[in-house]
């Protein structure tokens, strides 16, 4: 994957997250600044998702900890093969919201 494809894949992820938040009517503030998307919940807790261009990775930090994802076989996965969407669903649950991403 080249850098342009990397950025497009991340934009697709961010768009899917924003659409799901809107569709489900979550009371979550979604802000993108540069390479960072911040999801802020009612209690001011956050999930932070950011692009790591140098490594061509997507990173997610939440109450569950931090995770790194590489694009393999058409999806963002950890080195252990767990999907970004699974981690995001679990992070939402930890932040008190039921989500069904991906």
């Amino acid at each position: 994957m080249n850098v342009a494809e990397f950025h497009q894949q991340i934009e697709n992820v961010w768009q899917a997250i924003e659409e799901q938040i809107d569709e489900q009517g979550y009371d979550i503030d979604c802000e993108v600044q540069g390479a960072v998307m911040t999801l802020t919940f009612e209690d001011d807790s956050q999930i932070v998702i950011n692009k790591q261009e140098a490594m061509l990775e997507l990173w997610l930090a939440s109450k569950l900890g931090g995770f790194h994802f590489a694009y393999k076989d058409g999806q963002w996965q950890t080195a252990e093969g767990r999907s970004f969407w699974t981690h995001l669903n679990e992070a939402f649950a930890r932040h008190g919201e039921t989500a069904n991403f991906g």
Side-chain angles (χ1 to χ4, degrees), residues 1-34:
M1 170 184 311
N2 65 37
V3 173
E5 292 168 336
F6 168 76
H7 286 288
Q8 184 58 56
Q9 289 297 332
I10 300 293
E11 291 301 320
N12 293 344
V13 168
W14 287 358
Q15 182 178 359
I17 292 169
E18 289 178 357
E19 287 174 359
Q20 181 74 359
I21 287 171
D22 289 343
E23 286 176 17
Q24 297 301 314
Y26 296 124
D27 188 17
I28 299 168
D29 181 43
C30 182
E31 183 178 355
V32 176
Q33 289 187 343

Side-chain angles (χ1 to χ4, degrees), residues 4-85:
E5 292 168 336
F6 168 76
H7 286 288
Q8 184 58 56
Q9 289 297 332
I10 300 293
E11 291 301 320
N12 293 344
V13 168
W14 287 358
Q15 182 178 359
I17 292 169
E18 289 178 357
E19 287 174 359
Q20 181 74 359
I21 287 171
D22 289 343
E23 286 176 17
Q24 297 301 314
Y26 296 124
D27 188 17
I28 299 168
D29 181 43
C30 182
E31 183 178 355
V32 176
Q33 289 187 343
V36 179
M37 171 183 265
T38 304
L39 307 176
T40 305
F41 293 77
E42 287 184 67
D43 64 357
D44 290 328
S45 64
Q46 296 181 329
I47 294 175
V48 178
I49 304 164
N50 60 311
K51 303 177 191 181
Q52 292 296 320
E53 181 179 307
M55 301 175 77
L56 297 179
E57 289 184 345
L58 177 63
W59 290 7
L60 182 150
S62 72
K63 289 180 178 181
L64 296 175
F67 302 92
H68 300 196
F69 303 87
Y71 197 73
K72 300 177 199 166
D73 302 323
Q75 66 175 331
W76 293 100
Q77 303 176 35
T78 63
E80 298 79 28
R82 293 198 72 221
S83 90
F84 169 80
W85 299 112

